Amino acid sequence: MKFDKLVMVLLFFTLMACENRPNFSELCEQHTKICQEFQEDTWCKRERVAVGFANLANKNDANDSKKYQQLIAYEGYGKCMLHASKIEHIKLKVKKTIRTNNVLKAQAKIKAIALATQNSEHPDLLFFHWSRYLNEQSLNKFLALQGSELLEKPNRQINLASYYVKHDIKKTLNLLYHALELYPSDAAIDTEIFQSLASIFSHKKEHTQAYVWSKILYLYSPKDSNISHKILVNYFRSNNLNTEFLDRVAKKTLNNIIEGEFKAPHT
């Protein structure tokens, strides 16, 4: 399960919502070095903005949390630009070179920040070093934090789940449910939770549960590439499901999640 892809988007909107902070144009005027790190391109603008504000935040108040945000922002930009670099320009071959250079710069910054934080005790950085570099010491420290307040955040419960999914399905389910319990009302929900729950129940051949979580994913994010109306129809037809009832369950469950009132079922 890959759970960090939404963090960069959430980082962008969180930063954009901050008060007493310049917009990106003002950032470029006030902090030229930050803004000019990458050669400008028509692609990956949102990701580049996220990198700029992550760097500004770390410059104003450097700490491990800010460094983690930098890593996620650089990853998001690097992945986007890597995709863009593979697009050929018939008339502007120089674009490919610019994009390739930007990818290399992003990768270099990730490597530098990762090296500087390899001994960090910050929960998000501990999991980062395990998930990216298979650092066993970081993993053991992260797992040792289970049950503490430090891990009582949705993304950290999700990270725990991504580790246990290969070892303990029941615990994985409980962690994903608890992540949903921790979201406040009207928060942006990581749709990987819905997708993972649907996948786990489908694998267990618990078709009603698989359908409910698939429907929740569709209701919450109908444009998600992992779900569609056709997929739902094929699933309930092949498993003879009572969709009228299950659709009501899905809608009610999603409303509870959005309102911050979700309670984990007994497993």
Side-chain angles (χ1 to χ4, degrees), residues 12 27 32 47 78 135 140 144 146 160 162 183 185 193-194 221:
F12 172 77
L27 182 148
T32 305
E47 290 79 4
N135 186 314
N140 292 334
Q146 292 180 80
L160 276 174
S162 71
Y183 278 110
S185 61
I193 302 178
F194 305 146
S221 184

Side-chain angles (χ1 to χ4, degrees), residues 124-151:
D124 294 333
L125 286 171
L126 288 173
F127 188 79
F128 181 92
H129 283 281
W130 156 248
S131 60
R132 273 60 164 188
Y133 303 109
L134 298 181
N135 186 314
E136 293 284 347
Q137 185 178 16
S138 294
L139 173 64
N140 292 334
K141 289 181 178 180
F142 180 74
L143 295 178
L145 295 174
Q146 292 180 80
S148 72
E149 280 296 316
L150 283 174
L151 295 196

Side-chain angles (χ1 to χ4, degrees), residues 198 201-202 206-217 231-233 235-236 241-247 250:
F201 284 119
S202 178
E206 296 184 24
H207 301 304
T208 57
Q209 288 276 32
Y211 176 84
V212 166
W213 288 105
S214 296
K215 182 69 174 186
I216 289 172
L217 173 61
I231 290 174
L232 288 170
V233 170
Y235 194 82
F236 79 70
L241 301 176
N242 178 358
T243 56
E244 183 177 349
F245 170 72
L246 295 179
D247 285 348

Side-chain angles (χ1 to χ4, degrees), residues 42 55 66 85 108 139 147 175 192 200 229 231 252 266-267:
T42 54
N55 285 337
K66 302 292 173 50
S85 69
L139 173 64
L175 288 166
E192 286 281 356
I200 289 171
H229 178 68
I231 290 174
K252 175 62 176 176
H266 296 292
T267 58

Side-chain angles (χ1 to χ4, degrees), residues 184-199:
S185 61
D186 295 322
I189 311 298
D190 189 339
T191 56
E192 286 281 356
I193 302 178
F194 305 146
Q195 182 186 340
S196 297
L197 287 168
S199 177

Side-chain angles (χ1 to χ4, degrees), residues 170 173-174 177 201 265-267:
K170 183 176 181 180
L173 288 172
N174 287 331
Y177 287 146
F201 284 119
H266 296 292
T267 58

Side-chain angles (χ1 to χ4, degrees), residues 47-251:
E47 290 79 4
R48 181 168 170 257
V49 169
V51 168
F53 282 122
N55 285 337
L56 178 62
N58 185 68
K59 180 179 179 179
N60 291 337
D61 180 25
N63 56 51
D64 282 353
S65 178
K66 302 292 173 50
K67 287 180 173 59
Y68 172 70
Q69 293 175 355
Q70 283 182 296
L71 285 167
I72 296 303
Y74 275 114
E75 276 195 342
Y77 178 81
K79 290 176 182 178
C80 178
M81 192 53 65
L82 181 62
H83 172 72
S85 69
K86 296 176 181 178
I87 299 174
E88 293 290 344
H89 285 261
I90 298 175
K91 296 182 179 180
L92 299 174
K93 293 291 185 180
V94 69
K95 283 286 187 180
K96 185 175 180 67
T97 300
I98 290 173
R99 291 170 179 172
T100 300
N101 289 339
N102 284 344
V103 171
L104 294 175
K105 287 180 182 178
Q107 292 174 343
K109 286 302 295 274
I110 292 170
K111 184 176 180 179
I113 298 171
L115 182 63
T117 60
Q118 62 183 343
N119 296 318
S120 172
E121 302 289 327
H122 189 281
D124 294 333
L125 286 171
L126 288 173
F127 188 79
F128 181 92
H129 283 281
W130 156 248
S131 60
R132 273 60 164 188
Y133 303 109
L134 298 181
N135 186 314
E136 293 284 347
Q137 185 178 16
S138 294
L139 173 64
N140 292 334
K141 289 181 178 180
F142 180 74
L143 295 178
L145 295 174
Q146 292 180 80
S148 72
E149 280 296 316
L150 283 174
L151 295 196
E152 287 296 292
K153 292 188 176 183
N155 72 301
R156 294 171 187 172
Q157 293 295 302
I158 294 168
N159 285 340
L160 276 174
S162 71
Y163 169 75
Y164 281 107
V165 70
K166 295 182 179 179
H167 309 283
D168 189 334
I169 291 299
K170 183 176 181 180
K171 184 165 186 172
T172 300
L173 288 172
N174 287 331
L175 288 166
L176 292 173
Y177 287 146
H178 188 46
L180 291 175
E181 288 181 314
L182 291 173
Y183 278 110
S185 61
D186 295 322
I189 311 298
D190 189 339
T191 56
E192 286 281 356
I193 302 178
F194 305 146
Q195 182 186 340
S196 297
L197 287 168
S199 177
I200 289 171
F201 284 119
S202 178
H203 184 73
K204 287 162 60 72
K205 298 189 184 303
E206 296 184 24
H207 301 304
T208 57
Q209 288 276 32
Y211 176 84
V212 166
W213 288 105
S214 296
K215 182 69 174 186
I216 289 172
L217 173 61
Y218 182 70
L219 290 172
Y220 187 74
S221 184
K223 294 183 179 180
D224 193 293
S225 60
N226 295 292
I227 196 64
S228 68
H229 178 68
K230 183 177 181 180
I231 290 174
L232 288 170
V233 170
N234 289 339
Y235 194 82
F236 79 70
R237 285 179 177 173
S238 62
N239 293 289
N240 298 313
L241 301 176
N242 178 358
T243 56
E244 183 177 349
F245 170 72
L246 295 179
D247 285 348
R248 292 200 300 270
V249 172
K251 185 176 181 180

